[in-house]
Amino acid sequence: MDLRQLTYLLEIAKQQNFTKAAENLHLTQPTLSKMVKGLEAELGVTLFDRSGKYVKLTDTGSVAIDQVQLIMQAVQNLYSAIEDASSLRTGTIHIGLPPVISSVFFPRVIAKFQKLYPHVKFQIMEEGAKKVEGLVLDGTLELGVVVTPVEPDAFDSIPFLNQKLALVLHRDHPLAGEAFVSLAQLCDEPFILFPNGYAVRKHVMRACRSLGFEPDVVYESSQWDLLAEMVAANLGITIMPDAICSKIVNPECRTLELTDPEIPWELVVISRKDKYQSFAMREFRTFVRGLAN
């Protein structure tokens, strides 16, 4: 039994006449009759009563036709759903964002994309960058936004944002009046950083160790605004991406350029190299590539 045969059954039930149905289906009447007999034999029931002037459905035929109509509607729904997905009228993208990135990435990218494709939904998971990489690699997430470097053999990556990390300190700090500060000048400062597993912290720790000192981390938080408030309370200094520093509005904080060394903060959108990409996902990747600065 196939969809073509089910279509034939519906036409016979509609016309109540084998000859008329055969004409509409561009078949010979004997061919159509033979097909119906074969289906009846396969199902072990009689579908049509052929004893009168008009062909009528038997009781079992009526039950069968009801189910055939449901099947054909389900098939139509399948094609419609595929068409919706391929034309980006619908779809869901599963994406991972580290919390420090989400406040930058969401308004710049996701919100703009959804204005173009309002029926494409996003399932967002907030995790540290390394966790996001792992979830993309094991297939839990389709996309992730992380800080470079990433493993080129495992991921396709699209550059999104290229900035530097900056210093945030209290306005009364002795260095607050400087135009820029070298990292070595901070060797004795109490640091307020993101927790382990966050790319920003990893880059800060690596840069400090390259200068021969281990930062004294006195507080940790995964929320950039809480880190800023702790700096405003004069509990220490922090180092954040420029894009995040621009969001700090507390007048107790000062943001300064960090030098010697500059610490890069490069965001990329990653996907697993060998994973199938949905229509929505491919369009989203193209959209991000167009926004990259």
Side-chain angles (χ1 to χ4, degrees):
M1 184 182 302
D2 58 32
L3 292 177
R4 175 177 53 87
Q5 293 172 320
L6 297 182
T7 302
Y8 294 170
L9 291 180
L10 290 176
E11 186 63 24
I12 297 168
K14 178 182 178 181
Q15 300 300 331
Q16 297 184 333
N17 183 282
F18 273 83
T19 301
K20 181 62 175 176
E23 290 176 357
N24 291 345
L25 295 168
H26 306 290
L27 298 171
T28 64
Q29 190 271 334
T31 298
L32 186 59
S33 295
K34 183 178 179 181
M35 185 277 297
V36 172
K37 288 180 180 179
L39 281 179
E40 289 178 327
E42 180 181 340
L43 295 172
V45 297
T46 299
L47 298 173
F48 296 100
D49 178 2
R50 303 165 177 82
S51 62
K53 182 178 180 180
Y54 296 101
V55 175
K56 295 182 180 180
L57 290 167
T58 63
D59 291 344
T60 52
S62 294
V63 171
I65 288 298
D66 286 344
Q67 295 303 310
V68 169
Q69 290 172 331
L70 292 175
I71 292 169
M72 299 306 292
Q73 183 59 57
V75 171
Q76 182 57 50
N77 291 344
L78 170 64
Y79 284 118
S80 296
I82 291 173
E83 172 61 23
D84 283 347
S86 63
S87 60
L88 289 179
R89 286 196 290 266
T90 186
T92 301
I93 298 174
H94 297 82
I95 187 169
L97 302 174
V100 67
I101 291 173
S102 61
S103 62
V104 175
F105 191 82
F106 188 92
R108 288 190 57 157
V109 181
I110 294 179
K112 291 181 180 179
F113 183 80
Q114 287 196 305
K115 286 183 179 179
L116 297 176
Y117 305 106
H119 298 297
V120 175
K121 299 178 181 178
F122 285 83
Q123 292 288 336
I124 299 173
M125 182 180 294
E126 286 193 310
E127 295 286 353
K130 281 301 176 186
K131 182 67 177 294
V132 168
E133 286 186 25
L135 292 172
V136 172
L137 201 57
D138 70 18
T140 301
L141 295 173
E142 295 173 292
L143 296 169
V145 184
V146 299
V147 180
T148 58
V150 296
E151 177 53 56
D153 293 335
F155 300 108
D156 284 322
S157 62
I158 302 171
F160 166 61
L161 192 64
N162 188 353
Q163 294 188 343
K164 296 178 293 184
L165 298 185
L167 172 65
V168 183
L169 39 67
H170 192 272
R171 68 174 183 176
D172 292 334
H173 192 283
L175 297 173
E178 302 292 329
F180 55 85
V181 174
S182 69
L183 187 60
Q185 290 177 269
L186 306 175
C187 63
D188 295 323
E189 297 289 335
F191 279 70
I192 304 170
L193 296 178
F194 291 100
N196 287 322
Y198 283 71
V200 173
R201 179 184 178 122
K202 181 179 72 174
H203 284 279
V204 170
M205 299 298 284
R206 180 184 298 160
C208 292
R209 288 165 182 165
S210 72
L211 296 177
F213 75 93
E214 188 74 16
D216 178 20
V217 181
V218 293
Y219 294 104
E220 298 178 352
S221 175
S222 61
Q223 304 300 316
W224 67 266
D225 50 348
L226 180 55
L227 296 180
E229 288 303 309
M230 285 191 279
V231 171
N234 209 10
L235 298 175
I237 58 101
T238 192
I239 296 174
M240 295 185 186
D242 282 335
I244 301 299
C245 292
S246 65
K247 295 178 176 293
I248 299 174
V249 296
N250 194 312
E252 299 297 310
C253 295
R254 292 287 183 272
T255 298
L256 302 178
E257 181 182 350
L258 192 60
T259 64
D260 300 324
E262 294 181 344
I263 307 176
W265 192 67
E266 300 173 3
L267 295 185
V268 291
V269 179
I270 61 169
S271 58
R272 203 174 78 184
K273 279 195 168 182
D274 60 351
K275 187 174 176 60
Y276 166 77
Q277 295 184 5
S278 66
F279 291 101
M281 178 177 166
R282 291 202 295 270
E283 187 65 20
F284 183 68
R285 282 169 50 85
T286 299
F287 181 79
V288 171
R289 191 176 284 109
L291 291 179
N293 62 2

